[in-house]
Amino acid sequence: MTDSDRPSPEAFLRQAAQEGRGRLKVFLGAAPGVGKTWEMLTDGRHRREAGVDVVIGVVETHGRRETEALVHGHEIIPRRDVDHQGHSLGEMDIDAILERHPQLVLVDELAHTNAPGSRHPKRYQDVEELLDAGIDVYSTLNIQHVESLNDVVASFTRVRVRETVPDSVLENAEIEVVDIPPDELIERLKGGKVYIPQEATRALTHFFSKSNLTALRELALRRAAQAVDAQMLDHVRSHALAGSFAVGERIVVAVSELPVAAELVRAGKRLADALRAPWTAVYIETRRSQSLTDDDRKQLADTLALASRLGASTATVPAASVVEGLQAFARDARATQIVIGKSARPWWFELRHGSVVDQLVRTIDDVAVHVLPGEPEARTAGRRSVAVPGRWGKTSDYIWSLAMVAAMTALGRLLIEVIDLGNISLLYLVPVMFAAATFGLRAGLFAGLASSLGYNFFFLPPTGTLTVSNPENVISIFVLLGVAIVTSQFAARVRAQADLAQSSARQNAALASFSRQLTAAPDQDALMQAICAEVGRLLDVRTVILLPSADGPTLRAAVPPEDRLEQIERAAAQWAMDNAQPAGRGSATLTASDWLFHPLRTTRGVLGVLGLTRDDAREPVRSDQVPLLMSLLDQASIALDRMELEEASLRARQVDERDRLRSALLSSVSHDLRTPLTTILSAAHEMQRHPSPALAGTIEAEARRLNRFVSNLLDMVRVEAGALPMKVEATDLFDAAASAAHDTRASLAGHEVKVDISPNIPLVRVDPVLLHHCLINLLDNAGRYADPETPITIRARRTADAIELSVIDRGPGIAPGNEKRVFETFTRLEGSDRAKHGTGLGLAIVKGFAEAMGLTVAASNNDEPHGACFTIRIPEALIITNLTDKDLP
């Protein structure tokens, strides 16, 4: 099976990844009001009438009567209420949908941001979970919410959209464009069918201008076409279908080491812009590439860098010949047009080597070939006259080849009495193949010529001369020489291909190792240090990474450690950041710098620069290392961009969490401080008129309650700040339990506290004060939720590798699935009896104190009798089997 007949493994893997997943269909529109929700509901109704189980997850009708009419008849999954800053927000109930598990769910507004406290921050992430569960989803999206188009939309609408959806969400989605002409949409807007009249008037003068709507409409159509084209290519590759499938143009520019290649790149850019088509600059690496000079390699690297700056993808493909490589690459990329240059070669050169352009035009099908004129003869003559150092190989190669011929001659003299003279000639094929495969074509030809002369001199009569008496032997000599030449050609070609494959394998292995190192980095500083270390190791250079800051480029990582850079180096780094081009030694700008700085570029701009230098006087990067460096820079840029996005996402989640905690704290303080304060004020007012011991007791109890609440707040601050002073000593669990039960007797009034701890339970090595606080909070929690007049038990049990200290109540228990959530700060479970009381701090404090002492805490339910069980697990390492002086307080 040839490569052209073989299905693409990558396409197969992408298809396999979709097995078992639901299908996503996106109704894509240019702007609000084009009818996306209407079309989604209509399509859903048709599917329901066809017998498909369809439900509505969430639909925003925005008060439009026509849209609300389409909702009737559908089963609607009720929304889940989320409390945010005192307001109740309705969000899609993903758990209810998963439990219902319909065949198709309708989810409006894919780019919607969920309320803080939801399972996922974005609605498209909810949709991904539904798809993973095998549920089909219909959803709606406006083109301005596509992440890659965010900057483009902002450039002409002057509106920056904050809610975006990654392009990857659309890669495997079926896209239906919902489109109406801009004039019709404007009429709908004026008629109040999109916004209320006041908002419609403002929108018409800003976002909904005809020019903006026309541009957005074009973007939507082009993005849908790109998605369809990508899915079509995936299908034909997975089924190994022949043909270019030229629905959309795809351009390949063939570049070389010649200066004219830069003109080809610019011509390819103009053609791609005119056709609005993706394009790739490709260099075909053959055995001839091994003889390129340093200037040639530098010219090639500059050409590929130019193509990358102009927006092209770049590739270097090893192949036996330029024509074979271009054919294979064009076939794999499903290219529709190839741009190639025709060099001005003399007739005898083309007669000997052939014309790449002519061969390509004759052999390639379904692809338009654009041929640009090459360099004039006067410009190429100087290049051809330059000898390539080392192209004839080393002297030792010829010595070894001659030695092999001599060895075969000696062997033939020994066997002359045993075998025929014709078979002696076959022995000389051994040194020919050895020399060609080991040292190259020229050494093989040398061995062939030496073999024919040796055969003539030592074996053909008259021996000892180079004359041949028998004409038949002349034929033998020429046949031997011809076989030697052909064998040398084949052996040298196989060797060249093996060298190319080995070089490609080494580069791929280096890139794979580099990728693994970057993936393993835990944070940005470690990532930048790993980039410097790996690039330095692979290219044998010193490296630095500088990031932009208010004070200019800031040194963030270096291998080996670099304390400072000179002013000229910082100027070169700043220029590279500002212009997104290399600067410094070996570039065309600020060459006085000892360092060469390459920008780390992504779609979000330049993130920083990577600097390289050598200790000697050579340029930082050899010409043959440039392709590898470009690949390393691409991977480093992507990894650094990913890390920055992850840190930005983490900061956003932390802000959301702080907002949630702040809201919960205010809500808790307003209730848990106001209630006892109101009681204290009322009791104090009554005592002024009628002094009473009962009222004094009430004031004391409520004051203790306030004190416990404030203590919990302070303890929570200490836990989150990691500032818990600990004094570890030998502690008796029975005494700790009894002391905690005594201190909570007031709050546990009406409940009997049973201490079920055997005297045989050994002492443990913990902080008695922190353990006391843990038990007090667990007992206080049990007292709030236990059924009236039921006992609360403190129990300790010895297991094989731990002691489990449990507080057990007889109450409603914990709702399934919330066993871990109860330990989160300010968590009060919605829809549960456990949301009725308290601040949500006590159990979080228990967890923080326990972990500070090296313990773990877990929650579970008892079956008989029913209730909740909170268990502190003390590991074997903290259990005292033999008491020593260090364990004594």
Side-chain angles (χ1 to χ4, degrees):
M1 181 180 290
T2 64
D3 288 341
S4 59
D5 299 328
R6 183 172 66 93
S8 167
E10 293 81 4
F12 266 137
L13 289 174
R14 284 191 291 270
Q15 286 191 353
Q18 299 303 312
E19 291 295 328
R21 277 175 56 91
R23 294 187 305 109
L24 173 62
K25 181 175 182 179
V26 175
F27 293 84
L28 182 66
V34 298
K36 301 181 301 299
T37 305
W38 169 282
E39 192 66 27
M40 179 183 70
L41 290 170
T42 303
D43 234 17
R45 185 185 64 186
H46 292 159
R47 293 291 304 277
R48 178 168 55 84
E49 292 172 351
V52 177
D53 183 14
V54 181
V55 302
I56 290 180
V58 58
V59 165
E60 303 293 349
T61 63
H62 298 291
R64 301 166 189 160
R65 290 191 299 272
E66 299 89 346
T67 306
E68 291 175 350
L70 286 174
V71 173
H72 295 303
H74 283 292
E75 178 185 348
I76 302 175
I77 303 295
R79 301 193 189 190
R80 180 175 60 88
D81 291 331
V82 178
D83 184 35
H84 178 59
Q85 297 182 352
H87 299 282
S88 181
L89 303 178
E91 295 291 353
M92 182 174 67
D93 194 340
I94 186 172
D95 290 318
I97 296 174
L98 291 173
E99 183 178 357
R100 171 68 172 74
H101 205 282
Q103 291 176 275
L104 172 64
V105 59
L106 309 183
V107 180
D108 207 3
E109 297 186 0
L110 187 61
H112 171 76
T113 300
N114 292 330
S118 301
R119 182 183 307 178
H120 301 121
K122 296 287 187 178
R123 183 168 291 169
Y124 74 80
Q125 295 171 318
D126 294 338
V127 168
E128 287 290 332
E129 185 171 348
L130 295 176
L131 295 173
D132 289 338
I135 301 174
D136 293 345
V137 177
Y138 282 1
S139 191
T140 62
L141 183 70
N142 287 325
I143 191 63
Q144 64 264 31
H145 295 290
V146 178
E147 177 65 41
S148 63
L149 301 177
N150 189 259
D151 293 332
V152 178
V153 173
S155 67
F156 60 83
T157 64
R158 302 295 187 268
V159 176
R160 173 70 66 175
V161 177
R162 299 302 178 187
E163 293 182 323
T164 58
V165 171
D167 290 56
S168 58
V169 175
L170 302 180
E171 289 177 358
N172 298 309
E174 176 187 350
I175 296 179
E176 178 176 327
V177 179
V178 182
D179 182 45
I180 62 174
D183 290 334
E184 185 176 338
L185 179 57
I186 290 174
E187 289 301 321
R188 285 175 52 84
L189 193 68
K190 290 179 178 178
K193 297 180 179 180
V194 180
Y195 296 126
I196 60 177
Q198 295 83 356
E199 293 182 353
T201 303
R202 185 170 61 253
L204 282 170
T205 58
H206 294 85
F207 189 86
F208 280 80
S209 66
K210 185 173 181 179
S211 58
N212 285 352
L213 293 177
T214 303
L216 290 170
R217 187 186 188 197
E218 180 182 358
L219 280 178
L221 294 172
R222 288 191 178 279
R223 184 62 183 83
Q226 291 173 4
V228 172
D229 186 64
Q231 292 168 8
M232 181 269 295
L233 286 180
D234 222 30
H235 175 76
V236 298
R237 285 169 178 163
S238 63
H239 291 81
L241 300 179
S244 61
F245 290 82
V247 178
E249 299 292 343
R250 293 176 287 276
I251 300 170
V252 171
V253 180
V255 301
S256 67
E257 74 283 358
L258 300 176
V260 73
E263 300 176 15
L264 294 179
V265 168
R266 285 188 280 269
K269 168 64 173 174
R270 292 193 296 271
L271 181 61
D273 287 346
L275 299 176
R276 295 185 178 272
W279 62 297
T280 303
V282 59
Y283 172 69
I284 307 301
E285 186 179 17
T286 64
R287 56 182 177 175
R288 177 179 170 275
S289 303
Q290 299 175 354
S291 62
L292 295 181
T293 65
D294 286 346
D295 289 341
D296 290 337
R297 295 183 185 277
K298 188 175 186 303
Q299 180 65 50
L300 175 61
D302 292 342
T303 302
L304 292 175
L306 173 63
S308 179
R309 289 198 301 272
L310 293 179
S313 301
T314 59
T316 301
V317 179
S321 68
V322 173
V323 174
E324 292 179 14
L326 274 178
Q327 287 177 329
F329 186 82
R331 182 172 56 246
D332 183 64
R334 306 287 170 168
T336 60
Q337 304 197 38
I338 293 179
V339 179
I340 191 170
K342 183 174 177 61
S343 301
R345 304 289 192 183
W347 64 268
W348 56 265
F349 185 91
E350 292 191 0
L351 183 64
R352 177 186 174 191
H353 298 284
S355 170
V356 171
V357 172
D358 293 342
Q359 294 179 44
L360 185 65
V361 172
R362 285 196 306 269
T363 57
I364 200 164
D365 298 323
D366 301 328
V367 179
V369 180
H370 300 262
V371 182
L372 274 67
E375 297 175 307
E377 182 71 21
R379 292 170 62 188
T380 58
R383 285 177 46 81
R384 289 196 300 272
S385 64
V386 178
V388 180
R391 71 181 295 176
W392 288 96
K394 296 181 292 187
T395 304
S396 60
D397 299 345
Y398 297 93
I399 295 176
W400 279 106
S401 301
L402 192 60
M404 286 291 294
V405 173
M408 289 301 104
T409 302
L411 181 60
R413 297 298 300 176
L414 293 175
L415 301 176
I416 190 63
E417 302 296 335
V418 181
I419 61 177
D420 296 333
L421 185 62
N423 293 330
I424 293 293
S425 64
L426 299 178
L427 294 175
Y428 284 102
L429 295 179
V430 176
V432 173
M433 289 187 293
F434 170 80
T438 307
F439 305 124
L441 176 61
R442 290 174 175 78
L445 294 176
F446 173 78
L449 180 61
S451 296
S452 63
L453 293 175
Y455 180 62
N456 183 9
F457 189 84
F458 290 102
F459 297 100
L460 295 181
T463 57
T465 68
L466 295 178
T467 59
V468 180
S469 59
N470 189 346
E472 294 180 358
N473 292 334
V474 174
I475 297 175
S476 299
I477 292 176
F478 280 105
V479 169
L480 175 63
L481 186 59
V483 170
I485 292 173
V486 173
T487 304
S488 298
Q489 290 275 9
F490 280 121
R493 181 175 298 180
V494 171
R495 178 176 180 270
Q497 291 177 345
D499 289 343
L500 288 175
Q502 186 177 11
S503 174
S504 178
R506 283 197 300 268
Q507 181 165 328
N508 290 338
L511 292 175
S513 174
F514 186 64
S515 179
R516 286 194 299 271
Q517 293 291 333
L518 301 191
T519 304
D523 52 45
Q524 190 182 61
D525 290 335
L527 173 64
M528 291 188 290
Q529 198 67 22
I531 292 173
C532 288
E534 285 298 299
V535 173
R537 181 181 66 84
L538 293 172
L539 302 181
D540 190 25
V541 293
R542 294 163 54 199
T543 55
V544 295
I545 286 182
L546 294 92
L547 299 186
S549 68
D551 299 327
T554 303
L555 184 64
R556 294 292 302 273
V559 173
E562 186 75 30
D563 293 334
R564 57 187 295 272
L565 295 174
E566 299 296 335
Q567 190 64 33
I568 184 64
E569 275 79 33
R570 294 191 176 275
Q574 186 65 61
W575 193 92
M577 288 182 188
D578 295 340
N579 296 274
Q581 294 184 23
R585 188 173 187 176
S587 70
T589 305
L590 296 173
T591 56
S593 169
D594 290 334
W595 291 77
L596 171 64
F597 294 96
H598 278 274
L600 298 172
R601 293 177 297 177
T602 67
T603 55
R604 298 193 299 123
V606 177
L607 304 180
V609 292
L610 175 69
L612 308 97
T613 190
R614 294 183 185 273
D615 293 328
D616 51 28
R618 294 179 296 166
E619 290 190 354
V621 181
R622 300 195 310 269
S623 56
D624 60 321
Q625 294 177 328
V626 172
L628 176 59
L629 174 61
M630 293 298 105
S631 298
L632 295 175
L633 288 172
D634 288 341
Q635 286 202 25
S637 301
I638 293 172
L640 196 59
D641 190 38
R642 173 184 57 80
M643 186 66 71
E644 285 197 0
L645 290 175
E646 287 180 356
E647 292 186 354
S649 176
L650 177 61
R651 288 193 296 270
R653 288 197 299 270
Q654 289 174 343
V655 170
D656 289 343
E657 180 66 14
R658 283 198 297 269
D659 289 342
R660 186 184 71 83
L661 293 179
R662 186 180 298 112
S663 175
L665 178 60
L666 291 175
S667 174
S668 178
V669 166
S670 65
H671 176 270
D672 291 274
L673 285 181
R674 185 181 301 166
T675 301
L677 281 175
T678 301
T679 304
I680 291 173
L681 290 174
S682 298
H685 180 69
E686 287 295 323
M687 282 191 68
Q688 289 178 350
R689 296 190 302 170
H690 306 289
S692 169
L695 292 174
T698 300
I699 292 175
E700 181 183 4
E702 294 300 324
R704 289 182 182 275
R705 181 179 170 186
L706 275 177
N707 182 64
R708 185 181 300 114
F709 176 72
V710 173
S711 298
N712 280 345
L713 286 176
L714 295 175
D715 288 342
M716 198 66 246
V717 171
R718 291 161 62 200
V719 168
E720 293 183 348
L724 286 177
M726 285 201 305
K727 183 180 180 182
V728 177
E729 58 186 56
T731 303
D732 187 297
L733 293 181
F734 184 88
D735 291 344
S739 175
H742 178 270
D743 288 350
T744 55
R745 63 187 184 279
S747 59
L748 298 182
H751 297 279
E752 178 188 1
V753 178
K754 296 181 178 179
V755 179
D756 182 12
I757 300 178
S758 170
N760 296 326
I761 292 292
L763 303 180
V764 294
R765 198 175 286 112
V766 295
D767 185 318
V769 176
L770 295 186
L771 181 62
H772 183 73
H773 278 288
C774 289
L775 290 175
I776 284 178
N777 279 289
L778 289 178
L779 289 171
D780 184 67
N781 178 78
R784 286 199 302 270
Y785 299 108
D787 294 336
E789 306 302 326
T790 57
I792 297 173
T793 303
I794 306 176
R795 184 183 66 193
R797 291 289 183 267
R798 185 78 156 89
T799 65
D801 58 348
I803 292 177
E804 294 183 348
L805 181 62
S806 303
V807 175
I808 306 168
D809 66 59
R810 299 184 185 181
I814 303 170
N818 291 309
E819 289 84 355
K820 293 183 178 179
R821 286 191 59 206
V822 295
F823 293 104
E824 296 177 3
T825 308
F826 293 116
T827 295
R828 290 188 284 186
L829 305 179
E830 295 86 353
S832 167
D833 289 339
R834 306 195 78 85
K836 293 179 181 178
H837 313 283
T839 63
L841 280 176
L843 295 180
I845 292 171
V846 171
K847 183 175 183 290
F849 284 4
E851 291 178 350
M853 292 186 288
L855 317 179
T856 58
V857 61
S860 61
N861 285 318
N862 286 327
D863 292 331
E864 188 60 38
H866 186 72
C869 176
F870 293 87
T871 301
I872 299 174
R873 190 175 185 276
I874 305 170
E876 183 71 31
L878 300 181
I879 299 174
I880 301 174
T881 53
N882 294 309
L883 192 65
T884 62
D885 290 341
K886 69 176 183 178
D887 296 316
L888 298 176

